[in-house]
Amino acid sequence: MYTRREFNKSEVALSNEIKSKLIEVEGLLDKLPNCREKSIALTHIEDAMLHSNLAITETGITEE
């Protein structure tokens, strides 16, 4: 289904930057009381990380 490959240095840096921002969002969501909607929001954060890494794997990134 998905081809596995190692990220190069710039791809690792981008993946880590995205992860850092998503961790910030997760911290904000932690201020909410536990409820179904919070759980769904946290799941979407996990999905965002997964799909951003898949996008990097499939298309690479443009160097700036």
Side-chain angles (χ1 to χ4, degrees), residues 13-57:
L14 177 60
S15 178
N16 287 339
E17 185 177 354
I18 292 168
K19 182 178 180 179
S20 174
K21 298 295 182 182
L22 292 174
I23 288 171
E24 285 182 44
V25 173
E26 182 180 14
L28 293 172
L29 292 175
D30 281 341
K31 295 177 181 181
L32 298 172
N34 290 332
C35 63
R36 180 175 183 273
E37 288 75 14
K38 177 182 174 180
S39 178
I40 292 169
L42 291 170
T43 298
H44 283 296
I45 290 172
E46 293 172 1
D47 287 343
M49 190 71 235
L50 169 71
H51 289 286
S52 63
N53 281 333
L54 288 173
I56 292 169
T57 300

